[in-house]
């Protein structure tokens, strides 16, 4: 195991996020390799941790003032053993090859857990959509797709949205793909309902996180009702996490964006959530404006001097980090423990550092890892692909029921795999093992390719 990790670090020493994802994964699957020596003989780990294909390209585009900009685009097609590559596109200044590779690697096992036939991939650009006009966003998306279209297809690689890529961006990307290929196919998910999208797709990741958390609580004889929740972020995942918590009788105290966070001790109710959706999705404003509308809430700006986030220091029962990777460090984890939090369920991808996860485990906090807990989004993307293939649309009730069933199944799968390989009750180990065994077995079946 150490030899595999040492080889990865030696080959790409600067890719810290990718090393983190690999290190956490390898720590869980050691018992699997001991029972399955064929995985070692066939170098499954070495093959799994090297992308099948990495595509990097320039994206030149023009702003509204006629100035030319050049960004970098990525698509990492990690593994296609169980289906076409599937995973989102992220537009954010932090995007680099390390982040795209870690996201693609996690996506392989997340998709495996859904039981749907999808491989893993991820992509995006270091383009920052903040402050850009709709026409600038359109020009960038068209320039990005002018290269990406060569590498994707409904049976090859099916991208979706992620941070910075919502319905607007998916629309522009799809329009350009359709023009370039002269065909209308389900090559992207997260599409508009009028042109091949699925009901419940916008809600899916957030709803799925809460469904998974509810299963974790139910195993302890508890429910979501009456519990106080800390949630970070204010984008799609965070919004619908809050919505589902409210549906199930819980209370949400916080939301955030890159400028700071709000604390509403009275709880963010449905009317307040509707305001947040309008603020973030339509006006594209800052979360600080919430306190102008609801002055009894408190706004706390980001303090660049602090090496911890005060959002996680408030008393609550449960927490959902739904903003970005590594947003909860060891100090934040200790604050969550001190604040009485008994469950952490990840809405973002890899939002907890390894040190934070160790603290959760040592204090018996229920921990739902991202590759299991936030798999609802890609699960409904898979359902969207199925609807596109059949040229039909399922009702929201039907899709939601399928999503709920998938999240319950993922919960059981994680616990079963953890118990089988000596990690009883460990959702992180169970998710890694269950996803790995399915993909590794498929790779062996298909030979050395």
């Amino acid at each position: 195991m150490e030899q595999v990790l040492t080889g990865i670090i030696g080959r790409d020493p600067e890719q810290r996020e990718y090393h983190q994802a690999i290190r956490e994964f390898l720590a869980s699957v050691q018992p699997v390799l001991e029972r399955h020596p064929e995985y070692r003989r066939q170098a499954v780990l070495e093959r799994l941790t090297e992308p099948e294909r990495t595509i990097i390209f320039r994206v030149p585009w023009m702003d509204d003032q006629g100035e030319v900009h050049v960004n970098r685009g990525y698509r990492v097609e990690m593994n296609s053993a169980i289906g076409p590559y599937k995973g989102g596109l992220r537009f954010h200044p932090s995007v680099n090859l390390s982040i795209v590779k870690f996201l693609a690697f996690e996506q392989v096992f997340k998709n495996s857990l859904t039981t749907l036939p999808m491989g893993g991939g991820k992509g995006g650009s270091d383009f920052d959509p903040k402050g850009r006009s709709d026409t600038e966003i359109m020009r960038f998306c068209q320039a990005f797709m002018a290269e990406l279209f060569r590498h994707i297809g409904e049976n090859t690689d099916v991208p979706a949205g992620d941070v910075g890529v919502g319905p607007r961006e998916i629309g522009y990307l799809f329009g350009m793909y359709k023009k370039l290929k002269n065909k209308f196919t389900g090559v992207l998910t997260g599409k508009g309902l009028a042109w091949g999208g699925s009901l419940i797709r916008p809600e899916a990741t957030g709803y799925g996180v809460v469904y998974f958390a509810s299963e974790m609580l139910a195993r302890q004889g508890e429910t979501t009702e009456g519990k106080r929740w800390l949630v970070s972020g204010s984008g799609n995942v965070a919004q619908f996490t809050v919505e589902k918590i409210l549906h199930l009788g819980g209370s949400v105290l916080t939301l955030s964006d890159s400028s700071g966070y709000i604390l509403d001790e009275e709880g963010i109710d449905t009317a307040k959530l509707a305001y947040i959706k309008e603020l973030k999705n339509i006006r594209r404003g800052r979360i600080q404006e919430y306190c102008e509308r609801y002055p009894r809430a408190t706004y706390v700006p980001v303090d660049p001097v602090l090496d911890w986030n005060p959002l996680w220091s408030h008393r609550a029962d449960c927490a959902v980090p739904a903003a970005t990777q590594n947003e909860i460090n060891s100090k934040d984890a200790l604050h969550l423990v001190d604040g009485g939090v008994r469950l952490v369920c990840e809405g973002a991808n890899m939002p907890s550092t390894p040190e934070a996860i160790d603290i959760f485990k040592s204090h018996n906090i229920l921990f739902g890892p991202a590759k299991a807990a936030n798999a609802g989004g890609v699960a409904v993307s898979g359902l969207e692909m199925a609807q596109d293939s059949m040229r039909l649309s399922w009702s929201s009730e039907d899709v939601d029921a399928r999503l709920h069933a998938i999240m319950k199944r993922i919960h059981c799968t994680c616990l079963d795999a953890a118990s089988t390989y000596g990690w009883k009750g460990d959702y992180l180990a169970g998710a890694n093992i269950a996803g790995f065994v399915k993909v590794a077995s498929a790779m062996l079946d298909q030979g050395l390719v």
Side-chain angles (χ1 to χ4, degrees):
M1 305 288 272
E2 280 302 318
Q3 185 177 357
V4 172
L5 183 60
T6 300
I8 291 168
I9 294 173
R11 179 179 293 172
D12 300 301
E14 77 289 354
Q15 295 177 6
R16 293 190 301 273
E17 293 86 358
Y18 189 53
H19 303 160
Q20 179 182 336
I22 297 291
R23 188 177 285 109
E24 176 235 279
F25 168 78
L26 291 177
S28 300
V29 301
Q30 178 71 43
V32 181
L33 296 173
E34 291 171 359
R35 294 194 197 182
H36 295 276
E38 68 273 20
Y39 292 168
R40 289 191 176 184
R41 288 197 301 270
Q42 295 297 322
V44 168
L45 283 179
E46 289 84 351
R47 291 156 60 191
L48 258 176
T49 53
E50 181 65 22
E52 292 178 4
R53 191 173 294 105
T54 300
I55 303 149
I56 304 176
F57 52 95
R58 72 179 183 192
V59 187
W61 60 282
M62 185 178 290
D63 66 21
D64 290 342
Q65 286 70 48
E67 183 178 348
V68 174
H69 302 262
V70 179
N71 287 94
R72 182 171 289 175
Y74 302 89
R75 188 66 179 173
V76 172
E77 296 175 336
M78 197 77 196
N79 189 284
S80 59
I82 62 174
Y85 308 107
K86 184 81 190 79
L89 298 170
R90 175 176 293 194
F91 292 168
H92 192 273
S94 67
V95 168
N96 56 36
L97 188 56
S98 175
I99 286 175
V100 176
K101 282 177 69 175
F102 112 68
L103 291 168
F105 184 74
E106 295 277 293
Q107 197 75 45
V108 172
F109 307 109
K110 182 187 302 185
N111 293 358
S112 173
L113 287 170
T114 70
T115 72
L116 301 173
M118 300 180 293
K122 207 78 176 185
S125 173
D126 56 1
F127 170 73
D128 188 357
K130 274 183 194 167
R132 294 295 179 183
S133 69
D134 284 351
T135 52
E136 288 174 328
I137 298 286
M138 181 181 70
R139 289 190 208 105
F140 176 81
C141 288
Q142 290 175 342
F144 184 86
M145 184 54 78
E147 175 61 33
L148 185 66
F149 87 99
R150 311 171 196 279
H151 310 287
I152 63 176
E154 66 274 23
N155 294 311
T156 305
D157 185 349
V158 184
D162 194 79
V163 174
V165 179
R168 173 183 58 174
E169 290 76 16
I170 291 294
Y172 294 148
L173 291 164
F174 182 83
M176 191 61 173
Y177 180 87
K178 181 165 63 75
K179 179 180 178 66
L180 292 169
K181 298 291 284 188
N182 192 29
K183 61 180 182 178
F184 195 113
T185 67
V187 70
L188 290 163
T189 56
K191 301 185 293 298
L193 291 176
W195 42 280
S198 173
L199 290 162
I200 305 296
R201 178 59 191 91
E203 298 91 337
T205 307
Y207 279 19
V209 169
V210 183
Y211 288 148
F212 192 89
S214 297
E215 292 300 311
M216 296 170 72
L217 289 169
R219 188 166 176 266
Q220 307 300 315
E222 301 184 50
T223 68
T224 304
E225 187 172 2
K227 291 198 167 44
R228 290 159 58 92
W229 296 67
L230 303 176
V231 179
S232 65
S234 54
N236 174 275
V237 178
Q239 290 172 21
F240 289 109
T241 294
V242 174
E243 184 169 287
K244 183 53 66 175
I245 289 170
L246 295 179
H247 287 171
L248 298 179
S251 174
V252 178
L253 309 181
T254 62
L255 283 172
S256 68
D257 61 19
S258 58
S259 63
Y261 76 92
I262 56 165
L263 171 67
D264 190 336
E265 289 283 3
E266 296 177 352
I268 300 170
D269 59 23
T270 53
K272 294 174 180 177
L273 178 60
Y275 171 77
I276 290 169
K277 289 180 179 180
E278 189 268 338
L279 171 68
K280 301 303 288 187
N281 302 344
I282 299 173
R283 292 198 286 117
R284 304 188 187 280
R286 309 306 290 159
I287 199 67
Q288 181 178 4
E289 296 177 45
Y290 178 94
C291 296
E292 298 170 8
R293 181 70 169 265
Y294 302 102
R296 296 176 71 171
T298 302
Y299 172 70
V300 181
V302 169
D303 184 344
V305 176
L306 288 182
D307 60 353
W308 53 278
N309 186 350
L311 184 153
W312 306 116
S313 64
H314 301 288
R315 291 203 66 80
D317 302 298
C318 306
V320 177
T324 191
Q325 67 270 5
N326 289 332
E327 59 174 298
I328 296 182
N329 62 25
S330 58
K331 291 184 179 178
D332 297 316
L334 288 171
H335 290 152
L336 288 167
V337 171
D338 293 341
V341 167
R342 291 174 287 142
L343 177 146
V344 175
C345 203
E346 295 186 323
N349 290 305
M350 204 170 74
S352 308
T353 66
E355 296 79 15
I357 294 171
D358 289 342
I359 289 169
F360 296 150
K361 290 182 178 181
S362 66
H363 288 83
N364 296 317
I365 288 179
L366 291 171
F367 176 67
K371 61 172 62 73
N374 77 8
V378 74
V380 174
S381 281
L383 299 180
E384 181 177 330
M385 291 166 65
Q387 292 170 81
D388 287 344
S389 297
M390 294 186 286
R391 299 293 195 269
L392 53 78
S393 180
W394 295 328
S395 70
S396 58
E397 293 79 12
D398 192 2
V399 178
D400 193 28
R402 291 170 187 259
L403 168 63
H404 198 172
I406 287 171
M407 297 312 297
K408 290 182 75 168
R409 189 161 59 242
I410 292 173
H411 176 267
C412 291
T413 298
C414 291
L415 288 180
D416 289 346
S419 180
T420 299
Y421 286 92
W423 295 91
K424 187 174 182 179
D426 189 324
Y427 288 98
L428 177 58
N432 283 328
I433 290 169
F436 171 61
V437 168
K438 181 176 179 180
V439 174
S441 297
M443 290 173 68
L444 293 188
D445 288 346
Q446 294 167 26
L448 188 58
V449 293

